[in-house]
């Protein structure tokens, strides 16, 4: 009976207060719109975080302050708390509908949405109860262990050992059982998905494409995303229709995980494949970074092929088949190793070509693909010394060079459009017009970072737990939600959840860049004779694809 009372004991006063405040804060708008179900889950998880923080503060307060209110005072306080929490919760739930509609209107989305405040509350309370019971069972186990230890060692030692043991057990359960089990399941599913082929993708018939005739890598070894990349090159007919001139067959080289055992072997195979296709005789070679699944943004690849009328070559390797967010947690080391090995191999082979005949060497990637390529260089100077430019799209906050440039921005320039060393080498843009800022000289080679104000991939960082981000300061970026505020712990969780919806918004918002990539390429690596009119025509074409 005593154990049952421990599990069913009444809620803590401070813990309940913080739980409600945290849950209400989670209802406030963040970077991107969310569904009612997501909101219910967010409310529960955020609420249990608040409850834990409140419980810890309450225990600390009781240990430091000896005063205890009377039973009548506690009863009055609880009544006021329940009434206040009910009022605040009701008001926040009521406004949450308008907040989500306003956010969708800001992004040009349909504002007629399904939003069930009573169901959101029911989901949040149900999941919160489950999490609270689990937490109390853990605490009950800890108390039983401490009580047993107190029979053999001094009380202070028993308490210390008990807390450490329970903490370790929870950590092992959370990491080795739950998280690793989840990752193993995701890995199994992703492994099966990697063996599939996206609808409409067929093995290429061109010798200029990996997986095609005479290719050194088999079609099967490319993986799902590699097959999409190699099997969807822009055709010479489409290129000719756009340029009005005879087009060349584009070169796309891709080496999947199954083709070689190490990053160095993959890179060596990629270079041999580039040699086989005649890539070192083209006008430009692009080393492309991939996301966790091996995906390459088709807008990055297609735009460059249209700009060069097919006289281009691209190369990429796959370092994982896990979803990007799992790869970000587990495979960043693999991403860095793959990017470094590929760039070094291509750069070394390119050095053998006479300078007058040498193609331009550029870099591009999106999301984790930018991290993959940035880690091949020590800093910005190293990058521009060994390449002819780079276009990075939606870089994650963990990118080392991006962070260095952002933190070293000139005073007065906002974090969402920083100015570094007068914009002489690197520039940051949310809109094409941003590339002309600042108005000073922009030397070649050039580096461009495309980053939307509402892209959670760019702005999520563990620092959101305890620090208000600079991108919420005024003035805010165009497209940034003016109603968003920062709350300790809560904003971290909100922006993390936003990542799951980063591709579910119109272009120009979230993690969707689409035709803005054309302007990025035009700034970094426009071919001779390329005009602003050409950029406009290509933007229209990419937007409609």
């Amino acid at each position: 009976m005593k154990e049952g009372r421990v599990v069913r004991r009444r809620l803590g006063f401070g813990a309940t207060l913080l739980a409600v405040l945290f849950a209400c804060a989670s209802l406030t708008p963040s970077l991107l719109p969310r569904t009612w179900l997501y909101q219910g889950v967010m409310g529960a998880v955020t609420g249990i975080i608040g409850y834990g923080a409140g419980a810890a503060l309450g225990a600390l307060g009781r240990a430091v302050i000896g005063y205890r209110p009377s039973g009548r005072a506690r009863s009055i306080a609880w009544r006021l708390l329940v009434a206040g929490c009910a009022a605040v919760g009701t008001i926040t739930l009521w406004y949450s509908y308008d907040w989500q509609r306003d956010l969708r209107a800001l992004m040009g989305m349909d504002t007629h949405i399904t939003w069930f405040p009573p169901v959101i509350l029911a989901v949040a309370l149900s999941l919160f109860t489950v999490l609270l019971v689990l937490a109390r069972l853990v605490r009950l186990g800890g108390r039983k262990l401490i009580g047993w230890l107190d029979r053999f060692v001094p009380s202070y030692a028993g308490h210390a050992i008990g807390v450490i043991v329970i903490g370790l057990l929870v950590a092992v359960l959370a990491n080795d059982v739950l998280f690793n089990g989840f990752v193993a399941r995701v890995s199994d599913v992703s492994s099966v998905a990697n063996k599939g082929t996206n609808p409409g993708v067929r093995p290429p018939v061109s010798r200029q494409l990996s997986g095609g005739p005479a290719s050194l890598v088999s079609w099967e070894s490319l993986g799902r995303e590699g097959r999409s990349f190699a099997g969807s090159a822009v055709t010479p007919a489409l290129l000719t229709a756009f340029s009005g001139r005879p087009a060349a067959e584009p070169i796309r080289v891709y080496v999947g995980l199954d083709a070689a055992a190490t990053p160095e072997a993959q890179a060596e195979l990629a270079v041999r494949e580039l040699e086989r296709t005649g890539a070192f005789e083209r006008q430009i070679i692009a080393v492309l970074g991939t996301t966790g699944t091996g995906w390459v943004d088709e807008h990055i690849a297609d735009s460059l092929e249209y700009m060069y009328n097919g006289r281009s070559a691209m190369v990429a390797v796959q370092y994982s088949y896990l979803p990007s967010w799992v790869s970000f947690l587990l495979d960043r080391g693999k991403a860095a190793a793959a990017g470094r090995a590929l760039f070094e191999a291509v750069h070394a082979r390119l050095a053998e070509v006479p300078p007058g005949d040498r193609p331009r060497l550029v870099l591009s990637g999106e999301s984790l693909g930018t991290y993959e390529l940035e880690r091949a260089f020590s800093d910005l100077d190293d990058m521009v010394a060994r390449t002819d430019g780079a276009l990075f799209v939606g870089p994650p906050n963990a990118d080392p060079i991006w962070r260095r440039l952002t933190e070293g921005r000139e005073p007065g320039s906002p974090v969402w459009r920083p100015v570094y060393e007068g914009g002489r080498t690197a520039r940051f843009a949310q809109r094409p017009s941003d590339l002309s800022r600042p108005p000073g000289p922009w030397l070649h080679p050039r580096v461009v970072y495309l980053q939307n104000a509402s892209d959670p991939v760019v702005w999520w960082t563990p620092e959101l737990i305890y620090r208000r981000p600079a991108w919420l300061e005024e003035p805010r970026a165009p497209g940034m939600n003016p109603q968003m505020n920062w709350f300790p712990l809560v904003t971290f969780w909100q922006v993390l959840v936003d990542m799951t919806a980063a591709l579910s918004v119109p272009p120009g918002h979230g993690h969707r860049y689409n035709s803005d990539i054309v302007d990025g390429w035009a700034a970094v690596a426009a071919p001779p004779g390329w005009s602003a009119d050409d950029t406009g025509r290509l933007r229209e074409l990419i937007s409609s694809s």
Side-chain angles (χ1 to χ4, degrees):
M1 291 298 294
K2 184 178 180 181
E3 290 81 355
R5 288 198 299 271
V6 170
V7 175
R8 298 193 304 270
R9 63 177 294 177
R10 66 184 297 175
L11 300 174
F13 185 90
T16 301
L17 176 60
L18 278 190
V20 173
L21 292 178
F22 272 48
C24 288
S26 76
L27 285 161
T28 62
S30 56
L31 290 174
L32 299 175
R34 65 183 77 106
T35 66
W36 64 267
L37 181 58
Y38 264 37
Q39 182 56 67
V41 174
M42 281 186 62
V45 175
T46 311
I48 203 68
I49 292 173
Y51 190 91
L57 291 174
L60 179 62
R62 289 190 296 274
V64 174
I65 302 173
Y67 170 75
R68 296 292 184 272
S70 65
R72 183 171 183 273
R74 288 197 299 270
S75 177
I76 294 174
W78 267 104
R79 290 173 184 174
L80 291 174
L81 175 66
V82 171
C85 289
V88 171
T90 300
I91 293 171
T92 310
L93 275 168
W94 177 271
Y95 276 104
S96 67
Y97 177 62
D98 289 332
W99 287 331
Q100 292 300 316
R101 289 199 309 171
D102 292 345
L103 183 52
R104 293 174 70 88
L106 179 66
M107 298 183 176
M109 302 173 66
D110 183 10
T111 58
H112 294 86
I113 60 173
T114 300
W115 196 256
F116 303 116
V119 182
I120 292 173
L121 181 61
V123 170
L125 287 176
S126 300
L127 182 56
F128 176 87
T129 301
V130 171
L131 295 174
L132 181 60
V133 168
L134 291 175
R136 289 191 165 182
L137 286 173
V138 171
R139 184 173 62 180
L140 173 61
R143 289 185 173 183
K144 298 287 283 186
L145 176 62
I146 290 172
W148 179 80
L149 289 171
D150 285 348
R151 296 162 54 188
F152 304 99
V153 297
S155 177
Y156 68 87
H159 279 67
I161 295 172
V163 170
I164 292 173
V165 170
I166 290 299
L168 290 174
L169 288 175
V170 170
V172 169
L173 175 66
N175 184 68
D176 294 350
V177 178
L178 298 180
F179 181 72
N180 286 347
F182 174 74
V183 170
R185 177 57 180 164
V186 170
S187 179
D188 291 341
V189 173
S190 300
S191 176
V192 173
N194 187 59
K195 297 176 182 178
T197 303
N198 290 321
V201 175
R202 298 288 183 271
V205 296
S206 170
R207 298 172 62 89
Q208 267 56 56
L209 302 172
S210 288
S215 175
L216 301 178
V217 292
S218 67
W219 175 250
E220 292 74 20
S221 72
L222 296 180
R224 177 187 289 268
E225 299 300 342
R227 285 190 280 275
S228 293
F229 174 70
S232 60
V234 183
T235 65
L238 291 174
L239 295 170
T240 299
F242 175 79
S243 67
R245 305 185 307 275
E249 188 83 49
I251 293 174
R252 292 192 181 187
V253 167
Y254 193 97
V255 178
L257 270 176
D258 296 337
T262 65
E264 291 74 20
Q266 283 183 295
E268 187 271 335
L269 182 56
V271 169
R272 287 169 51 206
E273 184 79 340
L274 287 171
E275 291 174 334
R276 180 192 67 80
T277 58
F280 295 100
E281 299 171 8
R282 292 296 173 96
Q283 289 179 275
I284 190 169
I285 296 178
V287 177
L288 304 181
T290 62
T291 63
T293 58
W295 176 75
V296 174
D297 187 342
E298 65 273 16
H299 301 105
I300 291 176
D302 293 354
S303 297
L304 195 65
E305 287 174 346
Y306 274 110
M307 290 181 71
Y308 279 82
N309 205 26
R311 291 170 175 81
S312 60
M314 302 179 193
V315 58
V317 298
Q318 181 187 23
Y319 54 84
S320 172
Y321 47 71
L322 296 174
S324 288
W325 69 272
V326 180
S327 294
F328 183 78
L329 294 174
L330 302 178
D331 286 344
R332 274 191 285 177
K334 293 181 181 179
R340 187 179 303 112
L342 179 61
F343 174 78
E344 294 294 350
V346 174
H347 184 262
R349 176 61 181 83
L350 202 58
E352 301 175 7
V353 180
D357 300 326
R358 193 174 296 165
R360 300 173 73 177
L361 178 61
V362 296
L363 312 173
S364 189
E366 182 170 333
S367 191
L368 195 53
T370 70
Y371 180 88
E372 174 189 357
L373 295 178
E374 273 204 0
R375 289 300 301 271
F377 306 93
S378 59
D379 53 26
L380 179 64
D381 291 337
D382 182 32
M383 183 185 297
V384 298
R386 297 200 288 160
T387 71
D388 295 297
L391 171 62
F392 295 132
V393 181
N397 208 273
D399 281 13
I401 297 177
W402 179 91
R403 286 186 64 93
R404 205 169 302 148
L405 302 186
T406 301
E407 293 170 355
R409 65 188 183 277
E410 295 180 2
S413 64
V415 69
W416 45 267
R417 194 176 59 214
V419 175
Y420 181 80
E421 294 185 346
R424 288 190 297 270
T425 301
R427 296 195 178 185
F428 301 77
Q430 177 180 340
R431 302 286 185 263
S433 58
D434 294 339
L435 294 170
S436 61
R437 302 173 186 176
W442 193 7
L443 309 178
H444 286 279
R446 296 175 173 180
V447 176
V448 165
Y449 288 93
L450 299 181
Q451 51 189 46
N452 289 332
S454 56
D455 188 350
V457 174
V458 177
W459 305 120
W460 182 84
T461 169
E463 294 172 3
L464 289 173
I465 293 175
Y466 58 87
R467 179 184 299 168
R468 180 183 177 88
W471 44 268
L472 280 180
E473 303 296 339
E474 300 295 341
R476 296 191 181 185
M480 167 67 70
N481 184 0
Q483 298 175 317
M484 183 176 180
N485 291 298
W486 175 76
F487 302 95
L489 294 175
V490 177
T491 302
F492 165 85
W493 174 244
Q494 285 180 315
V495 178
L496 180 63
V497 172
D498 281 341
M499 288 192 191
T500 64
L503 296 175
S504 302
V505 292
H509 301 281
H511 199 59
R512 295 193 63 193
Y513 294 86
N514 294 38
S515 59
D516 288 343
I517 290 171
V518 174
D519 296 85
W521 273 132
V524 169
W530 187 262
S531 67
D533 288 341
D534 294 328
T535 298
R537 290 193 304 116
L538 185 52
R539 276 185 64 90
E540 292 181 6
L541 180 62
I542 296 299
S543 296
S544 63
S545 62

